[in-house]
Amino acid sequence: MPRIRKQDQSVYDSLTISFKKFQKNIKENSKNIFESFIALFISVITAVSAGLLLGKYQETLLLLPGLIILVPAALGMRGNLYTSLGSRLSSALHIGTLDKFSMKNRIMSDNVKANITLTIVSSVILGGIAELLSRALGIESIGLFSFVLISFIGGVLAGLVLLLITFGTAMISYKRGWDLDNIQAPLITALGDFVTIPFLLVAAFIVQGLQFYSGYISIIAIIIIAIAVLNLVLTLIAKPDNKGLSYKFIVIQSLPILTIAILFDVIAGIIIQSNIHAIVAIPILLVIFPALNEESGNIGSILASRLATKLHLGTLDVNLQISKEVRTEFINSYFLAFLIFPLTAIVAYFFGAFLGIGGMTLTSMLAVLLIAGYIMTTFGIISGFLISMLSFKYGLDPDNVTIPMLTSLTDIFSVVSLIAVLQLFGILAV
């Protein structure tokens, strides 16, 4: 039997190692796509279900002027708060600073306190910005106190549920060996939609019932504003102990970003409010708007969360070069978009038809969602990459910054792109 020369053996070994690495990368990539797709599929079902509620209660949107303004902002705020929480938990699990899910663990307790504070304060900020912009643009609204009351009731109720869901998702993922980066954003925002819109409508019905007792609305809203201010002040004046006060850090770093995100989301709501009569005339659009926002934001958030973890682990260089690893993440995002947006159109069409909510053909919905979806995926990829890199480079935690900024920008541009595509197809009057 002929002997293998050392040089040939070296080449053979090198090729074997390269092939094994290639197999490992393919297997890892397939696992990432599969986990993300399952989470996105669940989010499609819940996003469409949440949109169907809006379609069924379109009269409430007309009876409470400006209520629709709160919808993108409330959805965006829940997603921003709890996907950021999930991203922080994912990073902590990956780098080993979180090893058990107990309130005795500092990471756990600080994140819970920070999110409760951010939920209360941002709900009041949302109500204030909604009224301020409505007045500035001459749009009829339900008034400051009603905005604050609806935002607070809906926000706190949904927030409590989502807090349990976020930690539950993290615990199950940790035990089963799933990568939380792949599933937390779509699952949390999906379930966030599922609880946010119902709780928002419950809050709207409460305010609607109290309209004859406007004095009660004012008193309750003033108490809520006072609670939010007190909560924020106590957080800001708290002194760090010898272990460091990370919940204060999370609040200080997150709140300005969340405020900017709320501003963008309210603008998205105002764009919808400006077209509300044309949109309500085609009820299925009330299903499509949240679904497109959700899925485009989810795909961008998966990318952002994975980049944040790689930056924390030091496996990704902090520069604006498109490395092979980053390029793979981009391709995965486009592949997910190719699967998810047609699926969203099909689910929305048949669920809507079952409940008597229509106004568009299936072919039109497929074309509209695929075109608008790919526009938003491109926007989300570029924005997610740039915000992640720049925030980390300048000393900000991308877990606190990237997802809120990305999803809020996605919300406003998804509304604009969807309306533009609908007008291009002649479905929505210019």
Side-chain angles (χ1 to χ4, degrees), residues 259-282:
T259 304
I260 295 169
I262 288 168
L263 178 62
F264 286 141
D265 285 333
V266 169
I267 292 171
I270 285 173
I271 294 170
I272 298 175
Q273 176 67 38
S274 301
N275 295 273
I276 189 65
H277 291 288
I279 291 169
V280 168
I282 309 172

Side-chain angles (χ1 to χ4, degrees), residues 52-123:
L52 290 170
L53 272 177
L54 288 178
K56 292 299 285 185
Y57 289 99
Q58 53 187 287
E59 297 85 1
T60 305
L61 298 175
L62 296 174
L63 286 172
L64 293 174
L67 178 61
I68 194 68
I69 294 172
L70 289 180
V71 172
L75 293 175
M77 190 168 67
R78 296 286 80 73
N80 289 338
L81 281 168
Y82 292 93
T83 52
S84 291
L85 171 61
S87 188
R88 288 194 297 271
L89 293 177
S90 177
S91 294
L93 287 167
H94 278 293
I95 63 181
T97 55
L98 180 62
D99 56 359
K100 59 180 180 179
F101 292 90
S102 165
M103 284 301 291
K104 293 179 181 179
N105 184 290
R106 191 57 185 267
I107 300 291
M108 280 275 291
S109 60
D110 280 346
N111 273 286
V112 169
K113 286 189 284 186
N115 262 57
I116 289 173
T117 297
L118 288 169
T119 295
I120 293 170
V121 174
S122 58
S123 294

Side-chain angles (χ1 to χ4, degrees), residues 56 59 69 81 105 180 189 191 207 224 227 257 259 266 282 337 343 345 376 381 405 419 423:
K56 292 299 285 185
E59 297 85 1
I69 294 172
L81 281 168
N105 184 290
L180 191 57
T189 51
L191 295 168
V207 169
I224 289 169
I227 290 170
I257 302 298
T259 304
V266 169
I282 309 172
L343 180 63
M376 291 314 305
I381 285 172
M405 285 299 296
I419 288 176
Q423 290 176 344

Side-chain angles (χ1 to χ4, degrees), residues 36-347:
S36 298
F37 176 76
I38 295 299
L40 285 167
F41 176 75
I42 294 170
S43 81
V44 168
I45 303 298
T46 55
V48 168
S49 300
L52 290 170
L53 272 177
L54 288 178
K56 292 299 285 185
Y57 289 99
Q58 53 187 287
E59 297 85 1
T60 305
L61 298 175
L62 296 174
L63 286 172
L64 293 174
L67 178 61
I68 194 68
I69 294 172
L70 289 180
V71 172
L75 293 175
M77 190 168 67
R78 296 286 80 73
N80 289 338
L81 281 168
Y82 292 93
T83 52
S84 291
L85 171 61
S87 188
R88 288 194 297 271
L89 293 177
S90 177
S91 294
L93 287 167
H94 278 293
I95 63 181
T97 55
L98 180 62
D99 56 359
K100 59 180 180 179
F101 292 90
S102 165
M103 284 301 291
K104 293 179 181 179
N105 184 290
R106 191 57 185 267
I107 300 291
M108 280 275 291
S109 60
D110 280 346
N111 273 286
V112 169
K113 286 189 284 186
N115 262 57
I116 289 173
T117 297
L118 288 169
T119 295
I120 293 170
V121 174
S122 58
S123 294
V124 171
I125 290 173
L126 169 55
I129 291 177
E131 174 62 13
L132 185 66
L133 287 184
S134 296
R135 281 182 177 271
L137 296 172
I139 295 172
E140 185 184 3
S141 76
I142 52 180
L144 173 63
F145 293 141
S146 293
F147 268 139
V148 168
L149 192 53
I150 291 174
S151 176
F152 180 82
I153 294 172
V156 169
L157 292 176
L160 291 173
V161 175
L162 284 172
L163 195 63
L164 297 174
I165 288 171
T166 304
F167 280 106
T169 303
M171 285 174 11
I172 293 169
S173 300
Y174 180 69
K175 287 179 180 178
R176 294 186 175 273
W178 300 337
D179 189 339
L180 191 57
D181 286 328
N182 294 332
I183 63 172
Q184 60 91 12
L187 275 182
I188 293 168
T189 51
L191 295 168
D193 279 2
F194 204 62
V195 298
T196 297
I197 288 183
F199 280 133
L200 198 65
L201 288 170
V202 167
F205 294 144
I206 290 171
V207 169
Q208 200 173 3
L210 290 173
Q211 278 186 327
F212 296 105
Y213 309 97
S214 57
Y216 290 125
I217 293 177
S218 304
I219 292 168
I220 296 169
I222 289 168
I223 292 171
I224 289 169
I225 293 168
I227 290 170
V229 171
L230 180 62
N231 204 306
L232 182 59
V233 169
L234 290 174
T235 301
L236 295 178
I237 64 173
K239 294 181 180 179
D241 58 21
N242 57 357
K243 294 181 181 177
L245 197 64
S246 62
Y247 88 86
K248 179 178 177 179
F249 169 79
I250 294 169
V251 171
I252 290 173
Q253 198 169 93
S254 300
L255 193 58
I257 302 298
L258 284 170
T259 304
I260 295 169
I262 288 168
L263 178 62
F264 286 141
D265 285 333
V266 169
I267 292 171
I270 285 173
I271 294 170
I272 298 175
Q273 176 67 38
S274 301
N275 295 273
I276 189 65
H277 291 288
I279 291 169
V280 168
I282 309 172
I284 197 67
L285 293 182
L286 291 169
V287 180
I288 292 176
F289 272 108
L292 178 65
N293 281 0
E294 196 66 70
E295 301 319 315
S296 53
N298 283 338
I299 290 171
S301 294
I302 291 170
L303 171 69
S305 188
R306 290 184 60 77
L307 291 178
T309 295
K310 292 176 190 295
L311 287 166
H312 281 299
L313 290 172
T315 58
L316 190 63
D317 292 331
V318 188
N319 57 49
L320 298 180
Q321 293 180 352
I322 310 297
S323 65
K324 183 181 177 181
E325 194 171 9
V326 172
R327 192 160 56 246
T328 299
E329 297 293 349
F330 287 2
I331 292 168
N332 288 350
S333 297
Y334 276 117
F335 184 68
L336 287 170
F338 177 75
L339 296 174
I340 285 301
F341 288 112
L343 180 63
T344 303
I346 292 167
V347 172

